[in-house]
Structure formats: structure tokens, C-alpha cells
């Protein structure tokens, strides 16, 4: 496969006026409409200025990563991952009926054995505390692994690798979001990775704009589909992917992250579900 230079894609407008404006895109084979893929970034975009090198809308734009933004990108990624500690520990429990049953059984047994209402009432607090402890332990191990691999040298891993790219969202001069694309020539897919938006700038359509940038990259480079995987438990995250056109194609129960020991206590207090999504761009 012939890959275009990341810069050729990264400096395109956030809002594409028509599929025909994208070099290499075959209109008859495209399964998505332009309205689906490139609506405005935080509202209706201003009229394009042919003198501008980068697309702006409502004071924000998305462009390719620059090495000077390494620490800003790592910070946004780190903060986004750390948010998953309480989400995984507490929100994730609602999707684990067998774990709920186990905890309920433990509470009943505690009351039967001790006859103490106080101890029985304290047990859920202890269980939630253990869930938070193991969630923090495993997710910190995963974060350390990510920060020491691709996120340790974004320029080398994404910008200099064929079929890959890394973008930043800039709003009012600040890097407020990140996303990466990693191509796989074997099955002609591109993976959407490392998407995260600074919590102070959410609700402005930045995440959607970042996702669409990956879709644009995939179309320009003639990939057949875009895939992603997530362990996020927030409903909003899944709704975002679905709003971009992704279809849920499977879930892996008890997903393993780097750093997991699979000890009895860890299995009791930490469980992850890995959701797989796919967006078919064109017929092969």
C-alpha cells in the first residue's frame, strides 16, 4: 500500500466540503456521507480561507503532532487514563452481575456468621475499597507501560512510521486533545488509538473532530475500515464512537492489561470488559 505523508493529511480542513476534495477517495465505494464524517467542530464553521494552512473552526483546529508537544500530549493521556480508576472500580460494577451476586452473598454470610449489623454494613465499604485499590494498581501499571512505549516517543512511533499519524487539537493556543492512527497493512485497517481530551475542554465537539480526522486519514490512504478497542465504562464514550458511525462488533470479558497478576484477589476485585468497534469505509 502507498501511504501519503502524514503532513498531507494532518493539515487538511476539519470540515471537508465534499468527498471529491479528498485525493484518492473513490466516491462510489464510500459507505459514509460527508455529513456523517465531517460536521463542524463545536458549531458551524467559518468560510474557508484559502490563505490558511490549517483548518480552524470556532477558534480551534486539529493539526499534526510536533515534538515540542510531547509533554502536553503525555499529560492529557495520563489524566485521561487516571480517570478510569474510579470509573472501573465503581461504574464498572453495574455490568458485572456475577460479581454483584458474589458480594451480596458475602454480605449475607457475614451477617449469618457474625450476627452483627454493623459489620455487615461495613462490608460493602471494604469491598469498594478493595476494588479501588486493585483498579488503581492495575491501571497505573498499564499507564506506566504505555508511557514507556509508544507515548514515550510519539514522533518516532507515529509520525515516522508508514501508515500512522498523531494529531493534536488546539484551542485558544492550548493543546487540548490527542488522537493517533496506526495502520495495519495485513488486513488493510487502521486503528484509532490514544484518543483523549483535556477534561477542562470537553463538551465542545473536540473528541468528535479528532475521531473524524482519523476517518479522513483512513479514507485518503484507502484503508477499508477503521477499528478501535476500549475498556471505557462511561456510556458517553460508547455513544461517541457510535455517533461517528462505528458498530459494536464484540466484547471480551475479563480482559487482561499489562501488569495484571491474575491472583485470586485481583480477579475478585478487578474485572475489565474490552469492547471492539469497527467502521467499514469501503467495499473491498
Amino acid at each position: 500500500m502507498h501511504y501519503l505523508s502524514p503532513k498531507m493529511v494532518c493539515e487538511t480542513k476539519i470540515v471537508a466540503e465534499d468527498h471529491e476534495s479528498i485525493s484518492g477517495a473513490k466516491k462510489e465505494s464510500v459507505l459514509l456521507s460527508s455529513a456523517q464524517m465531517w460536521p463542524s467542530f463545536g458549531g458551524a464553521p467559518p468560510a474557508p480561507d484559502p490563505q490558511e494552512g490549517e483548518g480552524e473552526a470556532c477558534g480551534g483546529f486539529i493539526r499534526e503532532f510536533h515534538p515540542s508537544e510531547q509533554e502536553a500530549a503525555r499529560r492529557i493521556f495520563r489524566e485521561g487514563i487516571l480517570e478510569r480508576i474510579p470509573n472501573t472500580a465503581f461504574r464498572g460494577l453495574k455490568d458485572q452481575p456475577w460479581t454483584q451476586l458474589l458480594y451480596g452473598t458475602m454480605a449475607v454470610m457475614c451477617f449469618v456468621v457474625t450476627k452483627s449489623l454493623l459489620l455487615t454494613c461495613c462490608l460493602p465499604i471494604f469491598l469498594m475499597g478493595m476494588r479501588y485499590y486493585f483498579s488503581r494498581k492495575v491501571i497505573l501499571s498499564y499507564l506506566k507501560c504505555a508511557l514507556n512505549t509508544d507515548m514515550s516517543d510519539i514522533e518516532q512511533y507515529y509520525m515516522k512510521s508508514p501508515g500512522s499519524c498523531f494529531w493534536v487539537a488546539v484551542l485558544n493556543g492550548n493543546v487540548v486533545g490527542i488522537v493517533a492512527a496506526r495502520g495495519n497493512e495485513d488486513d488493510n485497517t487502521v486503528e484509532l488509538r490514544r484518543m483523549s481530551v483535556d477534561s477542562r475542554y470537553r463538551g465542545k465537539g473536540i473528541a468528535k473532530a479528532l475521531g473524524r480526522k482519523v476517518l479522513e486519514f483512513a479514507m485518503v490512504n484507502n484503508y477499508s475500515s477503521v477499528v478501535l478497542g476500549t475498556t471505557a465504562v462511561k456510556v458517553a464514550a460508547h455513544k461517541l464512537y457510535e455517533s461517528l458511525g462505528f458498530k459494536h462488533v464484540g466484547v471480551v470479558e475479563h480482559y487482561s492489561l499489562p501488569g495484571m497478576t491474575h491472583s485470586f484477589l485481583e480477579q475478585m476485585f478487578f474485572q475489565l470488559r474490552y469492547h471492539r468497534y469497527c467502521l467499514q469505509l469501503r467495499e473491498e
Side-chain angles (χ1 to χ4, degrees), residues 12-44:
T12 57
K13 293 286 184 181
I14 289 176
V15 181
E17 295 181 358
D18 190 272
H19 284 308
E20 292 178 345
S21 66
I22 303 175
S23 173
K26 297 180 180 178
K27 187 173 181 180
E28 64 276 9
S29 62
V30 175
L31 302 181
L32 299 177
S33 69
S34 58
Q36 282 181 293
M37 292 192 61
W38 298 288
S40 60
F41 178 97

Side-chain angles (χ1 to χ4, degrees), residues 5-197:
S5 164
K7 190 175 183 64
M8 292 175 65
V9 177
C10 295
E11 292 186 352
T12 57
K13 293 286 184 181
I14 289 176
V15 181
E17 295 181 358
D18 190 272
H19 284 308
E20 292 178 345
S21 66
I22 303 175
S23 173
K26 297 180 180 178
K27 187 173 181 180
E28 64 276 9
S29 62
V30 175
L31 302 181
L32 299 177
S33 69
S34 58
Q36 282 181 293
M37 292 192 61
W38 298 288
S40 60
F41 178 97
D49 184 348
Q51 301 301 317
E52 292 179 356
E54 296 173 342
E56 288 198 26
C58 298
F61 59 94
I62 296 174
R63 58 169 168 73
E64 69 175 50
F65 167 84
H66 187 273
S68 64
E69 296 157 342
Q70 174 82 20
E71 286 310 309
R74 282 166 58 90
R75 175 188 62 79
I76 292 172
F77 174 72
R78 183 188 304 111
E79 291 175 356
I81 294 298
L82 291 177
E83 287 181 10
R84 297 196 178 188
I85 294 175
N87 287 334
T88 302
F90 308 131
R91 287 175 182 257
L93 185 58
K94 66 180 176 62
D95 296 319
Q96 299 160 13
W98 288 108
T99 302
Q100 294 176 34
L101 179 62
L102 173 62
Y103 292 173
T105 303
M106 291 173 66
V108 172
M109 291 178 61
C110 177
F111 181 74
V112 169
V113 172
T114 65
K115 306 297 183 183
S116 170
L117 187 60
L118 177 62
L119 285 177
T120 304
C121 291
C122 288
L123 180 63
I125 299 175
F126 169 76
L127 294 175
M128 292 302 102
M130 291 296 287
R131 285 184 65 86
Y132 183 86
Y133 169 79
F134 280 100
S135 177
R136 185 175 186 276
K137 175 177 177 291
V138 173
I139 290 176
L140 285 179
S141 295
Y142 164 73
L143 179 60
K144 181 179 179 181
C145 178
L147 291 175
N148 288 330
T149 52
D150 62 304
M151 293 301 291
S152 68
D153 192 346
I154 296 171
E155 175 77 7
Q156 181 64 38
Y157 193 88
Y158 290 105
M159 304 308 296
K160 294 183 179 180
S161 178
S164 299
C165 194
F166 195 100
W167 297 271
V168 296
V170 180
L171 185 63
N172 300 325
N174 300 309
V175 174
V176 298
I178 59 172
V179 73
R182 185 77 171 173
N184 185 345
E185 189 174 354
D186 292 340
D187 58 5
N188 196 31
T189 64
V190 63
E191 181 185 7
L192 185 155
R193 313 186 72 206
R194 305 311 191 201
M195 182 190 286
S196 188
V197 175

